[in-house]
Amino acid sequence: MASTVLNILSLSSTPSLSSPINALNQAAPTLPYNIRTLWLFIKSDIVGIIMPIVAFATFITGNTSPIRAAKAFTFVTLHLLQFCISNQSLSPEEDAKNKPWRPIPAGRLSVRNALFLRWFMMPACFILSAAFGVLDVGIVMSTAIFLHNECGYDAHWFPRTALNAIAYSTFDTGAILISLGDRDKMFDAKILLPLIINASVILTTIHAQDFRDLIGDIQEGRSTIPIVLPRSSRASMPILLVAWTAILMAVHNEWNAADWTALVLGAVVGLRFYFIHEAGADQTSYTLYNIWLIVIRVALVLAQDSITSAGPKAGWIDFIPNEIGPLFKQINTTGNIFPKFEF
């Protein structure tokens, strides 16, 4: 599979006349050159997606197997690569203006070959997912990528937000299932509830990524949350980031450095989004937002026991409506997300 990808990259693409060095490189691309081309596709998302997702899956499951960790890393990386190649092959003109270092505008790969590679990646990801026992997750991920990119649902804020949340959740689910090595364990409340909370955090705050691309999105005719609700979207950032951290602290029996770091960082990042509107500042704020997400994941790992058990500060179960309360009390006492029925 890897050799096929590199062979595709080795196909000659149309060199940039303004760059003799690119023309020379494309005439005889080397293995390091091709690897760097793939790396440039996902460069912006290594810290924000790959590292925190793999780390979260490893620690939330208590995985000690380096093989399963490597598989989780491979799953996340290849599916991210599928998304990035798909996305970037559809908007090379926009990238040429805003991100000229990406492979296509940099002349490292033609749009034609990028599209060929994109459609090769889908079945490749299916095969990989099947080999790792998460084919269903891979199908959901590839479908979300297709809807987001090729179908153009990223142009409207509602499906864009929903699909982004689905993508993040699918990354997490696949990595966690692979790290567990046992699908049945996925329904343990200590695994499932932090996953649901993390997905909810992303669903309600992921528009943080759209502030930095405001000008480009307007030029491309997209309708993102910062465009539709310019003031409210910025005002929501300090509120949501602090609120989610406060919720985690409310259910955590013993507050720790991760809780306080998330609270302070959430306030700082949120206020940056609200008060500083320059594109460069929004990029910095988004980077800090990703760091906040990492800290939130750490806090979720440390709060696993508190989330599924009522402690001194975790009387939250008592506030759940009577119709739902028994289910969560069952989770609280058994650690199983599904209640047990007696006949």
Side-chain angles (χ1 to χ4, degrees):
M1 184 183 299
S3 61
T4 306
V5 172
L6 295 176
N7 286 337
I8 295 172
L9 290 170
S10 297
L11 295 174
S12 61
S13 57
T14 304
S16 172
L17 296 178
S18 61
S19 179
I21 295 178
N22 280 343
L24 179 61
N25 282 335
Q26 291 189 10
T30 62
L31 179 61
Y33 180 89
N34 289 334
I35 292 175
R36 178 170 175 79
T37 298
L38 293 176
W39 177 76
L40 287 172
F41 273 114
I42 62 175
K43 171 186 173 182
S44 300
D45 298 308
I46 292 175
V47 175
I49 294 181
I50 296 177
M51 292 174 60
I53 286 176
V54 174
F56 181 63
T58 299
F59 292 115
I60 204 75
T61 60
N63 174 41
T64 58
S65 168
I67 295 177
R68 289 205 297 269
K71 287 182 177 180
F73 173 84
T74 303
F75 172 85
V76 174
T77 301
L78 286 191
H79 282 83
L80 176 62
L81 186 60
Q82 181 190 170
F83 172 84
C84 290
I85 295 173
S86 168
N87 184 266
Q88 294 173 34
S89 64
L90 295 172
S91 57
E93 296 83 5
E94 181 182 357
D95 283 343
K97 298 175 184 177
N98 304 320
K99 299 168 184 175
W101 48 265
R102 284 181 167 176
I104 297 175
R108 301 179 71 92
L109 193 67
S110 69
V111 173
R112 178 184 177 184
N113 286 341
L115 287 171
F116 189 85
L117 182 59
R118 181 267 178 275
W119 292 113
F120 169 81
M121 288 300 299
M122 179 181 281
C125 286
F126 286 158
I127 294 171
L128 180 84
S129 299
F132 290 170
V134 289
L135 177 58
D136 48 350
V137 180
I139 291 174
V140 172
M141 172 63 79
S142 293
T143 302
I145 291 172
F146 178 72
L147 292 173
H148 185 279
N149 294 336
E150 279 76 18
C151 292
Y153 284 114
D154 67 322
H156 189 275
W157 67 268
F158 183 77
R160 177 188 180 91
T161 301
L163 288 170
N164 279 328
I166 290 172
Y168 271 91
S169 301
T170 308
F171 275 131
D172 279 323
T173 301
I176 287 173
L177 283 171
I178 293 169
S179 297
L180 282 171
D182 183 351
R183 294 181 72 94
D184 291 338
K185 293 180 181 179
M186 184 71 182
F187 299 106
D188 188 318
K190 289 186 178 182
I191 303 295
L192 193 56
L193 289 182
L195 179 61
I196 293 173
I197 293 172
N198 185 61
S200 301
V201 170
I202 292 171
L203 176 65
T204 54
T205 64
I206 194 59
H207 57 282
Q209 69 178 351
D210 294 326
F211 293 107
R212 58 182 179 154
D213 295 324
L214 193 61
I215 296 176
D217 287 337
I218 292 174
Q219 293 173 343
E220 293 295 319
R222 298 190 186 100
S223 176
T224 62
I225 289 180
I227 294 174
V228 176
L229 302 169
R231 292 187 177 181
S232 299
S233 59
R234 288 193 178 274
S236 71
M237 294 310 298
I239 295 173
L240 289 171
L241 268 57
V242 171
W244 274 117
T245 308
I247 290 172
L248 278 180
M249 294 179 74
V251 301
H252 200 174
N253 289 341
E254 297 180 2
W255 297 344
N256 53 46
D259 294 320
W260 289 110
T261 301
L263 183 63
V264 173
L265 188 58
V268 170
V269 175
L271 291 173
R272 277 186 59 92
F273 275 119
Y274 184 71
F275 286 109
I276 310 176
H277 299 179
E278 291 80 8
D282 282 333
Q283 176 61 56
T284 301
S285 296
Y286 178 63
T287 300
L288 293 173
Y289 164 79
N290 279 314
I291 296 174
W292 176 79
L293 280 180
I294 293 173
V295 178
I296 284 292
R297 288 168 182 265
V298 173
L300 279 170
V301 172
L302 296 176
Q304 269 183 293
D305 292 333
S306 300
I307 290 173
T308 54
S309 64
K313 299 177 185 175
W316 57 283
I317 290 180
D318 296 329
F319 293 96
I320 297 175
N322 292 334
E323 295 80 5
I324 306 175
L327 171 61
F328 281 86
K329 290 182 184 294
Q330 180 73 21
I331 296 171
N332 181 43
T333 56
T334 67
N336 195 317
I337 190 64
F338 295 116
K340 295 180 180 179
F341 298 98
E342 295 182 1
F343 297 94

